Amino acid sequence: MLKQNIRIQLGCDFRFLLPQATPMIAMLNVHATRIHDLEGPDLIGTWPTVPLSAYHDSFGNWCVRFVAPAGEFRIGTRTIISDCGALDVQPTEIGEQPVEALPNEVMQFLLGSRYCETDILSEVAWRLFENTPRGGARVQAICDFVHDHIRFDYASARATRSATQAYAEGKGVCRDYAHLAITFCRCMNIPARYCTGYLGDIGIEPRHEPGDFSAWMEVWLDGAWWVFDPRNNTPRIGRVLVARGRDASDVPMIHTFGANQLVGFGVVSDQLS
């Protein structure tokens, strides 16, 4: 069911215990491509207050640097974003470009990366998908396989699980679905990049899972990037991008340069009436 002109409350909160002052980088702000939809700035707040500085990384993501003091430390953001309420577009009829015709800037998204071992899974990918139709239909076939192959298991989440391990273990969370689908796409010469952001239960029955950021992928087809979501594998409403990169190693929500204990974490992505 399509919806029009919805408003979504977005926010997150992280609580740490730190044994010493610790440099950090946060990627918590809505991506620049959605800034015009914000009703107000999604300013980052910290408790206690610390000086913040910001920069754009090589993928165009907004990064905030700071040094968190020893002890209990909190960081988070809140905002409201307007959304057209439309479902994700399904580009299954879109074709793909041959490698020699790809723009230079997308070539890096054909290569293996920390969590996407194309060298290990290439033979598997070609065995599974060589006879599928090229383009968006092939990407959808990859998403269908990954969606059915991996069992969602929040309790088994592991920050070090790679695409190869997700394929072997057959379980994981949304980042594992994304990593495996990205790897298969790259093996089939389709550029694919990792995305993270907000995706609430808008337009569907609530799942009653812990609030968290979501992961999906964008693939390059016929001259443009298109969203595919192997975890949900169905068009969704209210997807809000925060950051994108080669895989999850490029876009940690909080990167810490020292010992830390995460003692609290919450994410909100709810439609406002």
Side-chain angles (χ1 to χ4, degrees):
M1 178 180 177
L2 295 177
K3 298 186 178 183
Q4 295 294 325
N5 302 322
I6 63 174
R7 302 169 69 235
I8 306 172
Q9 178 176 292
L10 303 177
C12 61
D13 180 71
F14 294 79
R15 290 188 294 118
F16 294 93
L17 284 179
L18 304 171
Q20 60 190 19
T22 306
M24 296 186 177
I25 300 173
M27 289 188 189
L28 302 178
N29 297 98
V30 170
H31 195 267
T33 53
R34 294 298 304 271
I35 285 179
H36 63 283
D37 294 323
L38 294 176
E39 294 189 7
D42 55 340
L43 300 176
I44 287 179
T46 68
W47 299 268
T49 301
V50 297
L52 307 176
S53 63
Y55 66 96
H56 284 105
D57 69 8
S58 60
F59 300 102
N61 303 312
W62 189 242
C63 305
V64 176
R65 294 180 59 180
F66 55 92
V67 177
E72 184 172 354
F73 179 76
R74 291 180 60 193
I75 180 170
T77 183
R78 288 286 187 277
T79 191
I80 296 174
I81 193 168
S82 298
D83 191 90
C84 67
L87 292 162
D88 297 326
V89 177
Q90 289 187 299
T92 54
E93 302 301 318
I94 300 294
E96 64 184 76
Q97 291 177 285
V99 173
E100 62 270 21
L102 292 171
N104 294 335
E105 61 270 18
V106 309
M107 293 298 292
Q108 65 179 317
F109 299 109
L110 280 180
L111 308 178
S113 55
R114 164 66 177 86
Y115 292 107
C116 301
E117 311 104 320
T118 54
D119 54 341
I120 300 176
L121 288 175
S122 180
E123 183 177 344
V124 174
W126 280 95
R127 173 170 52 81
L128 290 172
F129 307 112
E130 181 176 12
N131 295 320
T132 58
R134 292 168 60 86
R138 175 170 285 174
V139 177
Q140 187 57 57
I142 290 172
C143 289
D144 292 342
F145 175 86
V146 171
H147 179 79
D148 293 339
H149 183 77
I150 296 179
R151 174 177 55 85
F152 187 87
D153 184 357
Y154 197 84
S156 76
R158 189 170 77 243
T160 59
R161 182 184 286 122
S162 69
T164 299
Q165 292 168 334
Y167 176 70
E169 297 171 16
K171 62 182 178 180
V173 293
C174 57
R175 62 178 270 158
D176 302 306
Y177 288 78
H179 283 148
L180 184 55
I182 287 168
T183 305
F184 282 151
C185 285
R186 292 177 185 173
C187 289
M188 303 305 295
N189 298 327
I190 301 173
R193 61 189 183 187
Y194 182 94
C195 298
T196 185
Y198 294 95
L199 183 63
D201 295 334
I202 299 173
I204 65 170
E205 289 297 319
R207 299 183 186 178
H208 307 294
E209 295 169 354
D212 202 349
F213 288 101
S214 294
W216 58 90
M217 67 176 181
E218 293 175 345
V219 300
W220 182 266
L221 295 171
D222 200 21
W225 290 104
W226 299 87
V227 167
F228 283 85
D229 184 348
R231 156 68 172 109
N232 295 292
N233 206 31
T234 187
R236 294 287 298 275
I237 296 169
R239 193 182 302 275
V240 179
L241 179 68
V242 170
R244 55 166 70 107
R246 294 166 301 180
D247 59 32
S249 63
D250 290 327
V251 291
M253 313 315 293
I254 303 285
H255 190 106
T256 59
F257 297 88
N260 67 91
Q261 180 183 0
L262 180 65
V263 295
F265 171 64
V267 174
V268 174
S269 181
D270 296 331
Q271 182 179 357
L272 297 175
S273 58

